Amino acid sequence: MKIRSVVAAIATGALALTVSGCGSGGGGGDSDAAGGGSGSQTLTYWASNQGTSIKHDKEVLTPQLKKFEEKTGISVELEVIGWDSLQTRIQTAITSGQAPDVVNIGNTWAASLQATGAFLPFDDNAMSAIGGADKFVEPALATGGAEGQPVTSVPLYGLAYGLFYNKAMFEEAGIEPPSTYKDMVAAAEKLTDTKAGVHGLALAAGSYTENSHFAFINAVQNGAELFDDQGQPTFSSDGVVKGIHRYLDLMQKHEVADTSNAQYTNGVQAVNDFAKGKVAMVISQNNAGSSIEAQGMKPDQWGVVPYPAPAGGEEIASHVAGINLSIFKNTENKEGALKFVKFMTSPEVQKAVSSEFKTLPVLKDAEPTFSKKEEASKMFQNIYNNMSAPLPLVPAEDQFESSVGQAMNKMFATIATGGTVTLEDVRVAMETAEQQVAASSGS
Amino acid sequence: MTTSTKVPDHVDPKDGPAPDPPAPRRKRRKGWWLPYALLVPAVFFELLVHIIPMITGIWVSFLELTQAYIANWGAAPFAGLGNYQISLDFNGVIGSALLRSFAVTCAFTILVVGIAWVMGMAAAVALQRQFRGRSLFRTFFLVPYALPVFASVIAWKFMLQKDSGAVNHLLSDNLGLIDEKPFWLIGDNAFISLVVVAAWRLWPFAFLMLMAGLQSIPTDVYEASAVDGAKPFRQWRSITLPMMRPVNLVLVLVMFLWTFNDFNVPYILFGSSQPPAGDIISFHIYNASFLTWNFGLGAAMSVLLMLFLLLVSGIYLMVLNGRNKRAGN
């Protein structure tokens, strides 16, 4: 009899954990420094990890925050959050109301986060409080939220994809840096030497966010759209499917990326391969420069060109990537938060910080200062200004990233473990992703 | 269970909550409230930690709590059984994925609990006898259970890497058993990895419980059976196993519930990109909530999971307790 009540007690406890563990996604949350600023003279700021490490971010930002305090008397409590947990932390902050005052977001989330209604819209008043909309580069500001509404985030750092290449390896093989897709594949094939453990390209093939970006870029190169005018997903359209298949073929058909790449769950691993000379090329964003150089590769040892489009395709090499700044609506110090956003997007701070983080300027008339290499700065600036398309500014954008990105993870895993992924397989996977988005958004 | 402090002497506890005899009204003893007062903190925290989140979870499962409403739950429209319909529509993508994940989890749980129990039992029996260094082995065997889950599973993750991992190094470079180094964390092998790591983490718990249980079996039973000529296996089958029955009953149930709900191991092992073969249900539900921001749907799946576990636990206890009673008669 005793046993029974013990069992019953334990079973109830374990069951209770099941439901509370999963169901409290909204209620539970970190109740740490996110208190929202107790006094009016303190702001809480969540920064994303932009430097080579979280420590590096703190070292870069702290002197700026000190300056802000000297200027305004408002002290800023800084927390730097890694990319693997930033989105969850923001979700928790939204659901619990235990939010910081100001937060960095990946600009592709802007429309999705805007739809939550938790962020302060930068209407005319707010915009003029931070120095006016005119100061920002237009395509960068356009990423701040859905079209036709006041943005809920403003650009902070600009980023774009580029194709990094190892100069010595290209010279040795007697080839020029590629300017067409065909050239890129040919160069990658030539430089792949599996016996020596060297490959033409490294891909972050196990990272759903990276994969989803390349689904977008390759689809746009084919002239395809991810969402129609009604905001319904069109992932299984011809252009998207073929674009994804082209990207998968870098590992499948051309075999220029190591199958191990299917385990790379973030872009850094691919960049590391490049810095160590294990691959001749890597497609990464401009801030990768700091990681590459931190690992001992000298600025004159690498070059960068746009990620090329196939013959006859649109010359799009990147999405308008970057980091935006948002203010939580329930901040107790709106004025201070606006001052802080103005400060962070001022030319002085932009100049000081972006040279450390190797990011592109988001202000008109600003010169890129992120690299000692003028050619690379100019190249990225050109890609950012002229060869980038914004990801769809719809509330379901984040679901595009997760559903399509995860599907691509699985397809890369299939290829890596010896299977084949046909065009038809991609189409079926994309149809599933479309249904997922439709079902999840509760329609 | 909390009322046992106040059972009047003349009531046989076996009769359960019998109506009070029609005795004249007694004056309450001085200090009668103290036991209740002492229980208040426990009840309060039980409510706070378990009951309220559970009820919140059930409530959320009836809401259309998508990204548009997470900042203001109150405004979320009532979805009725909509979330349950989507979860249980096995022809739709979400329902069929849930069903698949459920099947993977069942296979995973059966294997992990089975392996952990067998290993735990073997180790407990082996260490039942006195010998030099026995306590050393006991401590050693508990290491996987004592290590923080993050530290140990991340170590496994490194060991299971394709090119640089210790597992492939051992299998391929040292032993030469395989030519091509396989993937352990993606593709179908991910299931094997998951089972191995989860069983490795769980078996010391089985070992600990069974070891404690074995101590309670009097040694003279074994001595008597040895006189009758029983060999060790026969002793184990006819003495150890039946006498350990109550321990096994609890142990298997608890291990089942823990393993079925395991979140840490797949989450740390696979990160945000779980392979289909390692798509354990609580991880699946997490993704359904956090990647798609549809917390109502995730909560509905959680409630379904709870109902399933409640059902299994109930049937398990009814069947086994029934057998116990028959055996007792």
Side-chain angles (χ1 to χ4, degrees), chain A residues 339-393:
Chain A
K339 273 185 196 162
F340 182 64
V341 171
K342 183 180 185 184
F343 174 78
M344 288 302 287
T345 55
S346 66
E348 303 78 46
V349 178
Q350 282 279 307
K351 195 171 177 190
V353 175
S354 64
S355 69
E356 280 290 331
F357 292 155
K358 307 220 184 290
T359 50
L360 292 161
V362 293
L363 301 179
K364 277 181 191 160
D365 314 322
E367 288 291 317
T369 53
F370 70 91
S371 173
K372 287 171 202 130
K373 303 171 44 144
E374 212 176 308
E375 51 161 298
S377 303
K378 279 202 177 131
M379 180 59 78
F380 274 116
Q381 191 70 57
N382 181 37
I383 296 171
Y384 188 70
N385 291 350
N386 306 318
M387 301 177 75
S388 299
L391 270 160
L393 295 163

Side-chain angles (χ1 to χ4, degrees), chain A residues 147-373:
Chain A
E147 234 175 295
Q149 298 174 40
V151 294
T152 50
S153 64
V154 292
L156 178 63
Y157 311 129
L159 296 166
Y161 276 106
L163 181 68
F164 291 74
Y165 66 94
N166 183 320
K167 283 189 174 171
M169 285 166 105
F170 272 71
E171 260 165 47
E172 207 175 301
I175 34 180
E176 289 293 308
S179 56
T180 67
Y181 195 82
K182 220 171 138 192
D183 286 352
M184 181 187 82
V185 172
E189 278 173 341
K190 195 164 183 190
L191 290 165
T192 299
D193 180 359
T194 35
K195 276 195 196 118
V198 175
H199 286 84
L201 260 171
L203 312 172
S207 156
Y208 77 86
T209 47
E210 292 279 326
N211 277 337
S212 67
H213 296 161
F214 288 106
F216 170 73
I217 295 168
N218 284 284
V220 174
Q221 289 178 339
N222 289 357
E225 301 268 353
L226 296 170
F227 291 90
D228 62 17
D229 296 341
Q230 276 86 47
Q232 293 300 313
T234 52
F235 309 155
S236 62
S237 66
D238 239 25
V240 181
V241 170
K242 281 186 181 149
I244 290 173
H245 197 249
R246 179 167 70 236
Y247 186 64
L248 295 173
D249 264 348
L250 291 172
M251 184 186 281
Q252 179 169 252
K253 184 174 155 200
H254 308 301
E255 298 182 344
V256 293
D258 190 5
T259 50
S260 293
N261 290 181
Q263 282 190 331
Y264 287 2
T265 50
N266 58 55
V268 179
Q269 286 158 297
V271 171
N272 287 351
D273 278 358
F274 178 76
K276 285 184 201 134
K278 280 170 75 182
V279 295
M281 291 178 273
V282 67
I283 315 159
S284 191
Q285 295 179 359
N286 37 296
N287 56 339
S290 47
S291 298
I292 291 172
E293 282 165 27
Q295 297 198 48
M297 206 168 181
K298 298 215 171 58
D300 59 347
Q301 290 177 315
W302 56 271
V304 67
V305 290
Y307 173 66
E314 306 263 340
E315 291 292 333
I316 293 296
S318 179
H319 67 285
V320 184
I323 311 303
N324 287 4
L325 259 184
S326 275
I327 299 176
F328 269 93
K329 215 183 203 169
N330 65 358
T331 174
E332 283 165 21
N333 188 358
K334 184 176 150 187
E335 207 180 313
L338 285 168
K339 273 185 196 162
F340 182 64
V341 171
K342 183 180 185 184
F343 174 78
M344 288 302 287
T345 55
S346 66
E348 303 78 46
V349 178
Q350 282 279 307
K351 195 171 177 190
V353 175
S354 64
S355 69
E356 280 290 331
F357 292 155
K358 307 220 184 290
T359 50
L360 292 161
V362 293
L363 301 179
K364 277 181 191 160
D365 314 322
E367 288 291 317
T369 53
F370 70 91
S371 173
K372 287 171 202 130
K373 303 171 44 144

Side-chain angles (χ1 to χ4, degrees), chain B residues 117 205-206 209-210 246-256:
Chain B
W117 186 85
F205 176 73
M209 292 293 113
L210 292 169
V247 175
N248 279 330
L249 183 72
V250 184
L251 180 65
V252 170
L253 182 66
V254 168
M255 290 204 299
F256 163 77

